[in-house]
Amino acid sequence: MKVYTHFGGDDEGRRDELIRTIEHSVERLSLAELEALYYDLVAKDYIRK
C-alpha cells in the first residue's frame, strides 16, 4: 500500500486508491446512512438525476 504525503506524482494511482477507500467505507453504511449520503450528494450536484 502506498502512502501519499504530498500532492502530485501518480495522480491515477492516487485516484484509484481514493476510490477503493470510498467503496470500502460505503459498503459498511446502513440503508439510512446511504440514503442520507445520496441526498447530500444530489443536493451538492455531485449526482445528477
Side-chain angles (χ1 to χ4, degrees):
M1 175 182 254
K2 290 184 179 181
V3 175
Y4 294 91
T5 57
H6 63 280
F7 294 102
D10 185 9
D11 289 340
E12 192 62 29
R14 179 63 175 147
R15 183 179 186 280
D16 290 344
E17 180 63 27
L18 288 170
I19 289 171
R20 277 192 300 277
T21 300
I22 291 167
E23 285 176 341
H24 291 299
S25 297
V26 168
E27 288 172 348
R28 292 189 293 268
L29 295 177
S30 68
L31 178 58
E33 291 169 326
L34 282 170
E35 288 176 336
L37 177 61
Y38 172 79
Y39 289 116
D40 188 45
L41 293 173
V42 168
K44 292 178 180 174
D45 206 29
Y46 291 122
I47 296 177
R48 292 170 187 91
K49 287 186 173 186

